[in-house]
Amino acid sequence: MSIETLKAVAHPWLCDAMGHMNVRFYTAFFDDASSYFVGGLGGGVDQLADAHLGWADVRHVVEFREEVRSGALLRVCTRVTKIGRTSLTFQHELTGPNGNLHATMEVVSVMFDLEKRQAVPLPDTIRSAAEQLLGQHP
């Protein structure tokens, strides 16, 4: 099951000399969507602060499908695709108002001990929330 994690507008200042959104801003939108996504699973900055845990992205794979022009209304939806011992793999889809697919990003993010600077197992609460999303179909 995917959940909506971001709504945005491709403002003119996000676009390059060719008139479409510059690749750097796709990454920014996907990064913001990641924060909302893991926060919804119980893994937000405020939720993990006392345990000194955070997330470390270790892999991003982006596919650009259809250019985004200035003024476009955008939406990101995100779904869990794999749950590992220390990591989550999830996929973002950036679409337009008609559901047209502009880009995707696959993210592998590792639960990270901020003091020891190493990967740690996913907390049971986050694993459980991710499993519920993984087990549901749209």
Side-chain angles (χ1 to χ4, degrees):
M1 173 181 191
S2 66
I3 58 172
E4 185 176 89
T5 51
L6 188 74
K7 285 187 177 181
V9 177
H11 292 285
W13 56 86
L14 302 178
C15 296
D16 59 23
M18 294 176 283
H20 59 253
M21 193 166 74
N22 191 284
V23 288
R24 74 178 75 190
F25 299 111
Y26 286 81
T27 301
F29 286 162
F30 288 138
D31 190 50
D32 289 348
S34 290
S35 293
Y36 276 99
F37 186 67
V38 297
L41 298 176
V45 171
D46 292 341
Q47 297 154 313
L48 297 176
D50 290 343
H52 305 285
L53 296 176
W55 295 95
D57 288 358
V58 296
R59 185 169 188 260
H60 287 174
V61 177
V62 180
E63 289 187 29
F64 300 97
R65 302 284 183 92
E66 181 180 288
E67 75 178 336
V68 174
R69 295 202 173 273
S70 178
L73 301 177
L74 302 168
R75 174 180 139 162
V76 176
C77 289
T78 307
R79 65 186 174 90
V80 176
T81 58
K82 182 180 176 186
I83 304 168
R85 186 179 73 80
T86 63
S87 67
L88 283 180
T89 303
F90 47 94
Q91 173 129 10
H92 297 299
E93 292 187 346
L94 178 70
T95 59
N98 298 324
N100 48 313
L101 183 61
H102 291 292
T104 64
M105 177 186 270
E106 180 185 68
V107 178
V108 178
S109 196
V110 173
M111 181 57 54
F112 198 68
D113 183 310
L114 297 172
E115 292 178 339
K116 295 179 182 174
R117 311 305 290 174
Q118 64 186 30
V120 296
L122 292 171
D124 291 340
T125 55
I126 294 171
R127 177 177 298 283
S128 177
E131 287 172 346
Q132 288 179 4
L133 289 178
L134 185 64
Q136 297 179 8
H137 300 285

